[in-house]
Amino acid sequence: MAGSDTTAQASADRPAPDTVKILIAGGFGVGKTTMVGSVSEIVPLRTEEPLTMAGLDVDDLEGVEEKRATTVALDFGRITVSDDLVLYLFGTPGQQRFWFMWNDLALGALGAVVLVDVRRPKSSFAAIDFFERRGIPFVIAVNGFHGEHPYPVEDIREALTLPEGVPVLLCDARERESSRDVLIALIDRLISQAEPAG
C-alpha cells in the first residue's frame, strides 16, 4: 500500500502535460480517418456513416469509387508525445457539404496536417486555402496509397503552389510510425515558429 501511495503522490506532484489540438484535414477520401486511427493511443471516436444512394448527386466519388463509408462530423484520437506533451487529433469531414464544421473544429487548433492524394490533388486545395487564410501552421502529408509515391516532393510542392516554408512529407496513413513522423514534423514547425527570431 505504501508503494501505491508513493506512486500516487509522485503523479500528483507532476504537472499536467501541455495539450495541443491538431487538425487532420484534406479532401474526401484522402485517409484522414485512417491516419487518426493508425496513430491514436486510444480507440478513436469515429462518426462514420455508410455512403448512400442519396449522396451520389452531392459526393464526388471520382478516384475513390471503392469508398463505402464517410466521416459526417469528426474523428478524434489522442497521442502522448512525451510526459509533458499530449496531442489531441481532430479529423475533419471531407465532403464539401460538411465544410461548415471546419470553423468550429479549428477553434483552438495550433496546427494542422493536410493529407494529399496525388491521384486527386485538387481535393486538397480547399484545406490548404482554409489554413492559409486563418494563419494556422500546417504541413502537407502525401498519403501513398498502396504504399506508392510516384512523384518527388518538389513536383508536389509546385503542383500545390506551396510556399517554400511549408514542409511536404511522404507518408502512409495506415502506418503508425509514418503518421507519428508527420505529427513530429508539425510539432517541430510549431516550435520553430514560436521561437523568437535571433
Short mmCIF file of all heavy atoms in Angstrom, two decimals, residues 81-109:
data_model
loop_
_atom_site.label_atom_id
_atom_site.label_comp_id
_atom_site.label_asym_id
_atom_site.label_seq_id
_atom_site.Cartn_x
_atom_site.Cartn_y
_atom_site.Cartn_z
N VAL A 81 3.05 12.37 -26.76
CA VAL A 81 4.37 12.53 -27.38
C VAL A 81 5.46 12.36 -26.32
O VAL A 81 6.49 11.73 -26.56
CB VAL A 81 4.48 13.89 -28.09
CG1 VAL A 81 5.88 14.11 -28.65
CG2 VAL A 81 3.43 14.01 -29.18
N SER A 82 5.22 12.93 -25.14
CA SER A 82 6.17 12.81 -24.04
C SER A 82 5.39 13.02 -22.74
O SER A 82 4.18 13.26 -22.77
CB SER A 82 7.28 13.86 -24.16
OG SER A 82 6.74 15.17 -24.05
N ASP A 83 6.10 12.95 -21.59
CA ASP A 83 5.43 13.13 -20.30
C ASP A 83 4.77 14.50 -20.18
O ASP A 83 3.82 14.67 -19.41
CB ASP A 83 6.43 12.97 -19.15
CG ASP A 83 6.83 11.52 -18.95
OD1 ASP A 83 6.13 10.63 -19.47
OD2 ASP A 83 7.86 11.28 -18.29
N ASP A 84 5.28 15.47 -20.95
CA ASP A 84 4.73 16.82 -20.82
C ASP A 84 4.03 17.33 -22.07
O ASP A 84 3.75 18.52 -22.19
CB ASP A 84 5.83 17.80 -20.38
CG ASP A 84 7.03 17.78 -21.31
OD1 ASP A 84 7.02 17.01 -22.28
OD2 ASP A 84 7.97 18.56 -21.06
N LEU A 85 3.73 16.42 -23.04
CA LEU A 85 3.05 16.87 -24.26
C LEU A 85 2.09 15.79 -24.77
O LEU A 85 2.50 14.66 -25.04
CB LEU A 85 4.05 17.21 -25.35
CG LEU A 85 3.46 17.70 -26.68
CD1 LEU A 85 2.65 18.99 -26.48
CD2 LEU A 85 4.56 17.91 -27.71
N VAL A 86 0.81 16.16 -24.88
CA VAL A 86 -0.22 15.27 -25.41
C VAL A 86 -0.90 15.98 -26.58
O VAL A 86 -1.25 17.17 -26.48
CB VAL A 86 -1.27 14.92 -24.33
CG1 VAL A 86 -2.41 14.10 -24.93
CG2 VAL A 86 -0.61 14.16 -23.19
N LEU A 87 -1.06 15.26 -27.69
CA LEU A 87 -1.76 15.81 -28.85
C LEU A 87 -3.18 15.27 -28.90
O LEU A 87 -3.40 14.05 -28.76
CB LEU A 87 -1.04 15.42 -30.15
CG LEU A 87 0.44 15.76 -30.29
CD1 LEU A 87 0.92 15.39 -31.69
CD2 LEU A 87 0.70 17.23 -30.00
N TYR A 88 -4.12 16.16 -29.12
CA TYR A 88 -5.50 15.76 -29.40
C TYR A 88 -5.72 15.95 -30.90
O TYR A 88 -5.52 17.05 -31.43
CB TYR A 88 -6.49 16.60 -28.60
CG TYR A 88 -6.45 16.29 -27.12
CD1 TYR A 88 -6.22 17.29 -26.18
CD2 TYR A 88 -6.65 14.99 -26.66
CE1 TYR A 88 -6.18 17.00 -24.81
CE2 TYR A 88 -6.60 14.69 -25.30
CZ TYR A 88 -6.37 15.70 -24.40
OH TYR A 88 -6.33 15.40 -23.06
N LEU A 89 -6.10 14.89 -31.56
CA LEU A 89 -6.24 14.89 -33.02
C LEU A 89 -7.71 14.94 -33.41
O LEU A 89 -8.51 14.14 -32.94
CB LEU A 89 -5.60 13.62 -33.60
CG LEU A 89 -4.19 13.30 -33.14
CD1 LEU A 89 -3.74 11.96 -33.70
CD2 LEU A 89 -3.23 14.41 -33.54
N PHE A 90 -8.04 15.89 -34.27
CA PHE A 90 -9.40 16.04 -34.77
C PHE A 90 -9.38 15.90 -36.29
O PHE A 90 -8.81 16.74 -36.99
CB PHE A 90 -9.97 17.41 -34.39
CG PHE A 90 -10.25 17.57 -32.93
CD1 PHE A 90 -9.23 17.82 -32.02
CD2 PHE A 90 -11.55 17.44 -32.45
CE1 PHE A 90 -9.49 17.96 -30.66
CE2 PHE A 90 -11.82 17.59 -31.09
CZ PHE A 90 -10.80 17.84 -30.20
N GLY A 91 -9.96 14.82 -36.80
CA GLY A 91 -10.08 14.64 -38.24
C GLY A 91 -11.33 15.34 -38.75
O GLY A 91 -12.42 15.18 -38.19
N THR A 92 -11.16 16.11 -39.80
CA THR A 92 -12.29 16.88 -40.36
C THR A 92 -13.06 16.04 -41.37
O THR A 92 -12.50 15.14 -42.00
CB THR A 92 -11.79 18.15 -41.07
OG1 THR A 92 -10.98 17.77 -42.19
CG2 THR A 92 -10.98 19.03 -40.14
N PRO A 93 -14.34 16.34 -41.58
CA PRO A 93 -15.07 15.69 -42.67
C PRO A 93 -14.58 16.22 -44.01
O PRO A 93 -14.18 17.39 -44.12
CB PRO A 93 -16.53 16.09 -42.41
CG PRO A 93 -16.45 17.35 -41.62
CD PRO A 93 -15.18 17.28 -40.83
N GLY A 94 -14.60 15.38 -45.03
CA GLY A 94 -14.03 15.76 -46.32
C GLY A 94 -15.00 16.31 -47.34
O GLY A 94 -14.61 17.08 -48.21
N GLN A 95 -16.28 15.92 -47.25
CA GLN A 95 -17.21 16.36 -48.28
C GLN A 95 -17.54 17.84 -48.13
O GLN A 95 -17.66 18.34 -47.02
CB GLN A 95 -18.54 15.58 -48.23
CG GLN A 95 -18.40 14.11 -48.27
CD GLN A 95 -18.43 13.55 -46.87
OE1 GLN A 95 -17.66 13.95 -46.01
NE2 GLN A 95 -19.31 12.60 -46.64
N GLN A 96 -17.72 18.49 -49.24
CA GLN A 96 -17.97 19.93 -49.25
C GLN A 96 -19.20 20.29 -48.41
O GLN A 96 -19.22 21.34 -47.75
CB GLN A 96 -18.15 20.42 -50.68
CG GLN A 96 -18.21 21.92 -50.80
CD GLN A 96 -18.13 22.40 -52.23
OE1 GLN A 96 -17.95 21.61 -53.14
NE2 GLN A 96 -18.26 23.69 -52.43
N ARG A 97 -20.21 19.44 -48.39
CA ARG A 97 -21.45 19.78 -47.66
C ARG A 97 -21.23 19.84 -46.15
O ARG A 97 -22.07 20.35 -45.42
CB ARG A 97 -22.56 18.81 -48.00
CG ARG A 97 -22.27 17.36 -47.69
CD ARG A 97 -23.32 16.45 -48.31
NE ARG A 97 -22.87 15.09 -48.41
CZ ARG A 97 -23.51 14.06 -47.88
NH1 ARG A 97 -24.62 14.26 -47.21
NH2 ARG A 97 -23.05 12.85 -48.04
N PHE A 98 -20.09 19.30 -45.65
CA PHE A 98 -19.80 19.34 -44.22
C PHE A 98 -18.70 20.35 -43.85
O PHE A 98 -18.29 20.42 -42.70
CB PHE A 98 -19.38 17.95 -43.72
CG PHE A 98 -20.47 16.92 -43.82
CD1 PHE A 98 -20.22 15.71 -44.44
CD2 PHE A 98 -21.72 17.15 -43.30
CE1 PHE A 98 -21.22 14.75 -44.54
CE2 PHE A 98 -22.73 16.19 -43.39
CZ PHE A 98 -22.47 14.99 -44.02
N TRP A 99 -18.23 21.12 -44.82
CA TRP A 99 -17.13 22.06 -44.55
C TRP A 99 -17.51 23.14 -43.54
O TRP A 99 -16.62 23.73 -42.92
CB TRP A 99 -16.65 22.71 -45.83
CG TRP A 99 -15.83 21.80 -46.71
CD1 TRP A 99 -15.42 20.54 -46.42
CD2 TRP A 99 -15.36 22.09 -48.02
NE1 TRP A 99 -14.70 20.01 -47.47
CE2 TRP A 99 -14.65 20.95 -48.46
CE3 TRP A 99 -15.46 23.19 -48.86
CZ2 TRP A 99 -14.05 20.88 -49.72
CZ3 TRP A 99 -14.86 23.13 -50.11
CH2 TRP A 99 -14.16 21.99 -50.52
N PHE A 100 -18.80 23.41 -43.38
CA PHE A 100 -19.19 24.46 -42.42
C PHE A 100 -18.71 24.10 -41.00
O PHE A 100 -18.53 24.98 -40.17
CB PHE A 100 -20.71 24.65 -42.43
CG PHE A 100 -21.49 23.48 -41.88
CD1 PHE A 100 -21.82 23.42 -40.53
CD2 PHE A 100 -21.87 22.43 -42.71
CE1 PHE A 100 -22.52 22.34 -40.02
CE2 PHE A 100 -22.58 21.34 -42.20
CZ PHE A 100 -22.90 21.30 -40.86
N MET A 101 -18.45 22.82 -40.73
CA MET A 101 -18.00 22.40 -39.41
C MET A 101 -16.52 22.71 -39.17
O MET A 101 -16.06 22.70 -38.03
CB MET A 101 -18.24 20.90 -39.21
CG MET A 101 -19.70 20.57 -39.03
SD MET A 101 -19.93 18.86 -38.55
CE MET A 101 -19.98 18.08 -40.14
N TRP A 102 -15.77 22.97 -40.24
CA TRP A 102 -14.34 23.19 -40.09
C TRP A 102 -14.05 24.40 -39.20
O TRP A 102 -13.08 24.39 -38.45
CB TRP A 102 -13.69 23.39 -41.45
CG TRP A 102 -13.52 22.13 -42.25
CD1 TRP A 102 -14.35 21.06 -42.29
CD2 TRP A 102 -12.44 21.83 -43.13
NE1 TRP A 102 -13.85 20.10 -43.15
CE2 TRP A 102 -12.69 20.56 -43.68
CE3 TRP A 102 -11.31 22.53 -43.52
CZ2 TRP A 102 -11.83 19.96 -44.60
CZ3 TRP A 102 -10.45 21.94 -44.45
CH2 TRP A 102 -10.71 20.66 -44.96
N ASN A 103 -14.87 25.45 -39.30
CA ASN A 103 -14.63 26.65 -38.48
C ASN A 103 -14.67 26.32 -36.99
O ASN A 103 -13.82 26.77 -36.23
CB ASN A 103 -15.66 27.74 -38.81
CG ASN A 103 -15.38 28.40 -40.14
OD1 ASN A 103 -14.24 28.67 -40.49
ND2 ASN A 103 -16.43 28.64 -40.90
N ASP A 104 -15.65 25.52 -36.59
CA ASP A 104 -15.75 25.14 -35.18
C ASP A 104 -14.60 24.21 -34.78
O ASP A 104 -14.02 24.35 -33.70
CB ASP A 104 -17.09 24.46 -34.89
CG ASP A 104 -18.26 25.44 -34.94
OD1 ASP A 104 -18.02 26.65 -34.74
OD2 ASP A 104 -19.39 25.00 -35.17
N LEU A 105 -14.28 23.26 -35.65
CA LEU A 105 -13.19 22.33 -35.34
C LEU A 105 -11.86 23.06 -35.23
O LEU A 105 -10.98 22.64 -34.47
CB LEU A 105 -13.11 21.23 -36.40
CG LEU A 105 -14.24 20.20 -36.38
CD1 LEU A 105 -14.13 19.28 -37.59
CD2 LEU A 105 -14.21 19.39 -35.09
N ALA A 106 -11.69 24.14 -35.97
CA ALA A 106 -10.41 24.86 -35.97
C ALA A 106 -10.20 25.73 -34.73
O ALA A 106 -9.07 26.15 -34.47
CB ALA A 106 -10.31 25.74 -37.22
N LEU A 107 -11.26 25.97 -33.95
CA LEU A 107 -11.12 26.81 -32.76
C LEU A 107 -10.12 26.18 -31.80
O LEU A 107 -10.27 25.03 -31.39
CB LEU A 107 -12.46 26.99 -32.06
CG LEU A 107 -13.51 27.82 -32.80
CD1 LEU A 107 -14.84 27.78 -32.06
CD2 LEU A 107 -13.03 29.26 -32.95
N GLY A 108 -9.09 26.92 -31.46
CA GLY A 108 -8.08 26.44 -30.52
C GLY A 108 -7.02 25.54 -31.12
O GLY A 108 -6.11 25.11 -30.40
N ALA A 109 -7.10 25.24 -32.40
CA ALA A 109 -6.09 24.38 -33.04
C ALA A 109 -4.80 25.15 -33.23
O ALA A 109 -4.81 26.30 -33.70
CB ALA A 109 -6.60 23.86 -34.38
#
